């Protein structure tokens, strides 16, 4: 049996794909609604402790590293109750230090740990086309491959435990700073008097082109910041970036400024907006809205 | 007859494509070498004043807005000597204020002005696949279309005079800040202990994917900063960004920091490197090199 802990925005569609492929799956979440949705589809409800006794693999995807540690290592948790358990695969977006700590605590009982964050957000979780970036042992990664194929379209073993989490941090720095760059550039476009829609068309095929540009400019031009990935979740990731950077003494002049921009956005009521809403910081600085003319 | 002024890294291949399409072309540059190269191919040599008397269109691409103004408006220059001249099309990377000033000075003699910077760099100039972003009147843009088709693969009329230059500034902000974002992210990757090559493979298909990422990561991993577009040229563009932003009172917290990063790179001997060399600022901050493991 395989277990899945955490049926949130990302976890619920991931668990559905896994259930579809494996035909049986144990699930757990604190919320009754998503648990019922999965058990109605044929999944079994189990507590993390039951899973630890009966499942050989547990996947989890949870809001923070502290919650992951609690599920795994609290009294009556996964580690204490471990029976059949061979591998824990954590899809949460955490720091590499947290991932390495999990691996070290599980190792004495012979349980492998793979840190395996995802990219693609809710739409790709629903489509089953997530990208998995994994850190761990080759044999554990190989054992998990059928699961990755059920839930996503690509999986790369980046390196040892922690490497998946590092890849996710790198991803989040690039994504959020590129959104900030696009935002500052298009606010200038608007202030200087050109039509942002036309400028977008003129530049998107060149070196300025990116997945962020194509995904976020339509939202920015429409002033539509319904999430998608919230500033809240991305702020947690950039906080993890800075925490890891502090640990390894890596100066982060741009990411630290980005974090302060996210604090501004939180203070001004934009925390639950899509991260395309980063543009609102630059719009409010310049007292202008970026809109098609 | 059509004239072409400025046979530098970009202008020479552009003029060759134009000559190939039109079969005749007048050319001018201060350097004898590229002039001879073009006249050997069948072009005619003319001074800007001769071109102004005999050509109905003059294209130019020059290092700075001040040089453009000098060629057009100095004593015995284009404006003073204008005879057959109907349209000046400036491909230089300048500020929209400079473009508007040119248009205003040419208008009393009935000469149209189109500011039409390019994106794609030397490789696309040589391939004849540049992207043109134009500002000016529809009828002037339409008259120039066969020329754009000879030299590039796309041309967008963004809006009135100045709009082409604004589009180029927007382009340069996004390109250079995205290079800086990728640089900071991959320096963290290296410091935190993951293989940058593997992380690149894991994230390139997701929301972090961009033309910059695919174009610059191979150069960064190889420590190969042969230009391409130099930090020198891109620093001029970011200086133009800040100049325009000052004019229209648009705060630019990220671009102003980027300019200071470019000043650091100049002070440390990296000015003539490809702008992928922006990574060297972050590498030197963290005392590490980003290389495949």
């Amino acid at each position: 049996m395989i277990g899945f802990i955490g049926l949130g925005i990302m976890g619920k569609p991931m668990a559905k794909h896994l259930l579809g492929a494996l035909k049986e799956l144990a699930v757990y979440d604190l919320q009754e609604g998503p648990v019922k949705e999965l058990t109605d589809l044929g999944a079994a409800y189990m507590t993390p402790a039951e899973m630890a006794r009966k499942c050989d693999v547990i996947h989890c995807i949870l809001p923070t590293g502290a919650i992951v540690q609690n599920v795994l290592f609290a009294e009556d948790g996964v580690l204490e109750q471990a029976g059949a358990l061979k591998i824990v695969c954590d899809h949460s977006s955490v720091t590499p230090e947290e991932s390495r700590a999990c691996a070290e605590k599980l190792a004495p009982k012979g349980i492998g740990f793979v840190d395996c964050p995802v990219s693609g957000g809710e739409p790709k979780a629903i489509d089953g086309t997530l990208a998995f970036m994994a850190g761990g042992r080759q044999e554990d990664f190989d054992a998990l491959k059928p699961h990755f194929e059920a839930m996503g379209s690509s999986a790369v073993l980046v390196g040892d435990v922690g490497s998946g989490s590092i890849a996710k941090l790198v991803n989040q720095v690039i994504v959020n700073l590129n959104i900030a760059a696009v935002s500052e550039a298009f606010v200038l476009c608007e202030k200087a008097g050109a039509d942002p829609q036309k400028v977008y068309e003129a530049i998107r095929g060149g070196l300025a082109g990116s997945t962020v540009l194509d995904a976020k400019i339509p939202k920015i031009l429409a002033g539509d910041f319904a999430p998608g990935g919230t500033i809240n979740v991305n702020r947690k990731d950039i906080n993890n970036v800075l925490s890891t950077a502090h640990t390894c003494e890596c100066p982060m002049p741009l990411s630290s400024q980005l974090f302060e921009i996210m604090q501004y956005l939180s203070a001004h009521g934009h925390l639950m907006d899509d991260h395309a809403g980063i543009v609102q910081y630059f719009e409010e600085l310049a007292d202008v809205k970026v809109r098609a003319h």
Side-chain angles (χ1 to χ4, degrees), chain A residues 29-132:
Chain A
D29 195 280
L30 292 175
Q31 304 289 322
E32 268 181 45
V35 169
K36 182 163 188 316
E37 223 177 298
L38 266 291
T39 52
D40 284 352
L41 291 168
Y45 173 82
M46 286 188 197
T47 64
E50 277 182 274
M51 280 187 202
R53 291 191 291 271
K54 297 179 185 167
C55 295
D56 47 355
V57 173
I58 296 177
H59 291 270
C60 64
I61 180 160
L62 295 161
T64 69
I67 296 172
V68 173
Q69 301 242 355
N70 191 54
V71 167
L72 296 180
F73 306 122
E75 200 176 330
D76 212 36
V78 167
L79 179 62
E80 189 191 294
Q81 296 294 320
L85 189 62
K86 297 280 182 300
I87 306 171
V88 172
C89 182
D90 180 20
H91 302 288
S92 314
S93 194
V94 303
T95 68
E97 298 77 37
E98 288 168 325
S99 295
R100 289 173 191 139
C102 289
E104 280 169 26
K105 289 184 195 168
L106 291 166
K109 281 210 180 177
I111 303 164
F113 181 86
V114 177
D115 55 310
C116 191
V118 299
S119 105
E122 187 182 12
K124 294 202 169 189
I126 291 170
D127 292 348
T129 56
L130 290 169
F132 291 91

Side-chain angles (χ1 to χ4, degrees), chain A residues 16-281:
Chain A
K16 283 183 185 175
H17 285 293
L18 207 49
L19 176 61
L22 303 175
K23 308 301 173 201
E24 57 169 27
L25 186 71
V27 298
Y28 178 78
D29 195 280
L30 292 175
Q31 304 289 322
E32 268 181 45
V35 169
K36 182 163 188 316
E37 223 177 298
L38 266 291
T39 52
D40 284 352
L41 291 168
Y45 173 82
M46 286 188 197
T47 64
E50 277 182 274
M51 280 187 202
R53 291 191 291 271
K54 297 179 185 167
C55 295
D56 47 355
V57 173
I58 296 177
H59 291 270
C60 64
I61 180 160
L62 295 161
T64 69
I67 296 172
V68 173
Q69 301 242 355
N70 191 54
V71 167
L72 296 180
F73 306 122
E75 200 176 330
D76 212 36
V78 167
L79 179 62
E80 189 191 294
Q81 296 294 320
L85 189 62
K86 297 280 182 300
I87 306 171
V88 172
C89 182
D90 180 20
H91 302 288
S92 314
S93 194
V94 303
T95 68
E97 298 77 37
E98 288 168 325
S99 295
R100 289 173 191 139
C102 289
E104 280 169 26
K105 289 184 195 168
L106 291 166
K109 281 210 180 177
I111 303 164
F113 181 86
V114 177
D115 55 310
C116 191
V118 299
S119 105
E122 187 182 12
K124 294 202 169 189
I126 291 170
D127 292 348
T129 56
L130 290 169
F132 291 91
M133 44 198 96
R137 293 181 301 192
Q138 184 73 52
E139 64 262 34
D140 293 336
F141 179 79
D142 291 342
L144 294 166
K145 265 187 185 166
H147 304 174
F148 299 147
E149 281 162 18
M151 299 184 286
S153 58
S154 77
V156 174
L157 179 62
V158 175
D160 296 338
V161 170
S163 300
S165 296
I166 293 171
K168 176 74 176 183
L169 298 184
V170 168
N171 187 79
Q172 294 302 74
V173 168
I174 294 171
V175 167
N176 286 283
L177 279 176
N178 198 14
I179 293 173
V182 165
S183 297
E184 183 168 297
F186 275 88
V187 166
L188 175 64
C189 176
E190 186 75 56
K191 284 286 275 192
D195 182 346
Q197 176 71 42
K198 289 279 189 187
V199 169
Y200 166 59
E201 288 163 19
I203 69 171
R204 66 179 293 272
L207 199 47
S210 66
T211 310
V212 155
L213 190 70
D214 287 338
K216 301 304 183 185
I217 279 291
K219 293 178 79 76
I220 288 171
L221 291 178
D224 165 21
F225 303 121
T230 60
I231 290 169
N232 186 38
V233 163
N234 283 277
R235 183 180 62 163
K236 180 208 68 172
D237 287 337
I238 299 304
N239 192 41
N240 284 346
V241 162
L242 297 178
S243 162
T244 294
H246 293 167
T247 304
C248 64
E249 291 204 322
C250 187
M252 303 292 281
L254 299 178
S255 297
S256 55
Q257 192 174 357
L258 175 64
F259 186 79
E260 301 305 320
I261 290 171
M262 288 167 153
Q263 296 290 74
Y264 171 94
L265 290 163
S266 176
H268 289 72
H270 304 308
L271 192 60
M272 300 313 291
D273 288 351
D274 187 86
H275 55 163
I278 287 172
V279 74
Q280 294 166 109
Y281 169 75

